[in-house]
Amino acid sequence: MRAAEPAMTSTLAQTREDISRAIARMHGAILSSAIDCECRDRVGEALRDLERLERERIERSLLTAAGEQRRRIAALLELLDDFDPKETDTLDDGTMAEAGLLFADIAAAAELGSYLLRQARQVHHSSDVVQEVSNRAAPSE
């Protein structure tokens, strides 16, 4: 479980960076070209919309992945119901070992869920910053 999850989260982060860089390159190429101002403005707006949509898609993906971790924790907690530390007569080494592994899996899922939510917040707040900059750069009418 642990080996695949960091790969997934680093892939999401890399994808986000790749998208941002690609849109920035397209934006720079269009703005430096010799097209008329009205067309340039429309294309610039379309690129900002594209970036916003991609950020929203990535944020939804991160939130969905965090929700999966929540569901995983709930399922692991159900399995942990069999473990009752008050019933020391029925506790054997195998039961304690299994409970220990369940606790470790819960901790790992919680850690990953927390990381995914932090990433989603970063994406969300970065889109707020982009929107603020766009609003400031927009010409007053």
Side-chain angles (χ1 to χ4, degrees), residues 1-18:
M1 172 176 107
R2 286 181 178 243
E5 290 166 349
M8 176 193 68
T9 55
S10 66
T11 301
L12 284 170
Q14 184 64 41
T15 300
R16 186 180 77 208
E17 291 301 316
D18 289 346

Side-chain angles (χ1 to χ4, degrees), residues 23-77:
I23 291 173
R25 284 193 306 271
M26 289 173 16
H27 196 265
I30 290 169
L31 291 181
S32 66
S33 67
I35 58 178
D36 66 57
C37 289
E38 183 180 329
C39 181
R40 187 181 323 182
D41 291 344
R42 289 174 52 201
V43 170
E45 186 177 326
L47 287 172
R48 283 188 297 278
D49 287 345
L50 174 64
E51 185 172 16
R52 179 185 52 78
L53 291 171
E54 283 302 307
R55 287 181 189 282
E56 288 172 0
R57 182 186 62 78
I58 291 168
E59 183 179 358
R60 276 191 311 274
S61 174
L62 289 165
L63 291 173
T64 298
E68 286 298 319
Q69 295 308 307
R70 185 191 59 77
R71 284 184 283 286
R72 178 177 172 75
I73 290 169
L76 290 167
L77 285 171

